[in-house]
Amino acid sequence: MRQSNSSFCALLDGADVAIRRLDAGDYDAVVRLATELNSEERYQRFFTAHPAYIGEWALSLTAPAAGIVAFGVFEDGDLIGLANYAELPTPGDAEIAAVVAHEQHERGVGTALLRALGRIARSAGRHRFVADVLAENHAMRRVITDAGWPTTQHIDGSVLRVEVDLDDIDDDSVEGRTV
């Protein structure tokens, strides 16, 4: 595990994990995480149960273009969750997405990732996160709520657009060692 560029936090169960930016060496782990999701989890993350573009998606996170930031949570060297943001055309806006390995749910992995993204995004001049979440994806909606961020939400059919004003977040919502 590359610890030189990692930060650390304790998850809800007390486990210490490393959080760091993904890089080219993480490609296989990102693909593995996505392919090991069950069909419902894949559908909720990718809006399709059988995404054909996992390799391209993994590459976009491990060798990102300008404006894309991706983090992973690692426990004992294994990738157990990842999140990213991608700058949007509106200045200061970025779209966020996250995925956590099936057996790692309910540990605070997603919340830790969003807080790390929030910290980096604010320091990079981002002012607003947006996320398109399937309305039935209660787990992701809970992760955003657990981050402690005020949100506005708009429903369009089965998709819920969640917006977070990063300027309204207090420092405790993006800082701290424990999720």
Side-chain angles (χ1 to χ4, degrees):
M1 174 171 63
R2 298 170 287 262
Q3 293 187 358
S4 62
N5 59 352
S6 300
S7 61
F8 299 89
C9 76
L11 297 179
L12 295 174
D13 60 8
D16 285 323
V17 295
I19 301 176
R20 65 170 174 76
R21 285 189 188 223
L22 296 175
D23 61 35
D26 298 314
Y27 177 87
D28 289 338
V30 171
V31 169
R32 186 172 35 261
L33 189 148
T35 57
E36 290 178 354
L37 296 172
N38 67 38
S39 60
E40 179 182 355
E41 292 163 337
R42 279 192 306 275
Y43 179 74
Q44 289 181 342
R45 169 58 187 88
F46 299 104
F47 290 35
T48 180
H50 303 286
Y53 51 86
I54 293 297
E56 292 87 357
W57 171 75
L59 187 61
S60 76
L61 300 177
T62 58
I68 297 176
V69 175
F71 278 89
V73 169
F74 296 83
E75 183 174 39
D76 299 324
D78 295 325
L79 179 66
I80 62 172
L82 62 89
N84 69 285
Y85 77 71
E87 293 176 10
L88 294 171
T90 303
D93 285 6
E95 183 174 18
I96 58 171
V99 63
V100 175
H102 177 74
E103 66 279 0
Q104 303 300 328
H105 293 188
E106 306 295 329
R107 297 183 66 206
V109 174
T111 303
L113 283 161
L114 288 187
R115 288 181 179 164
L117 279 179
R119 188 171 42 255
I120 293 299
R122 282 174 40 157
S123 69
R126 302 289 145 252
H127 301 285
R128 188 169 71 124
F129 276 160
V130 297
D132 289 332
V133 179
L134 289 171
E136 67 195 51
N137 189 345
H138 300 288
M140 187 59 193
R141 292 169 60 187
R142 187 174 50 252
V143 165
I144 294 170
T145 300
D146 288 350
W149 298 345
T151 64
T152 56
Q153 301 179 12
H154 312 278
I155 190 102
D156 183 10
S158 63
V159 177
L160 182 68
R161 172 153 283 205
V162 180
E163 299 175 359
V164 177
D165 185 342
L166 295 173
D167 295 331
D168 286 345
I169 296 174
D170 63 36
D171 289 338
D172 291 339
S173 294
V174 292
E175 300 296 336
R177 180 165 159 64
T178 303
V179 176

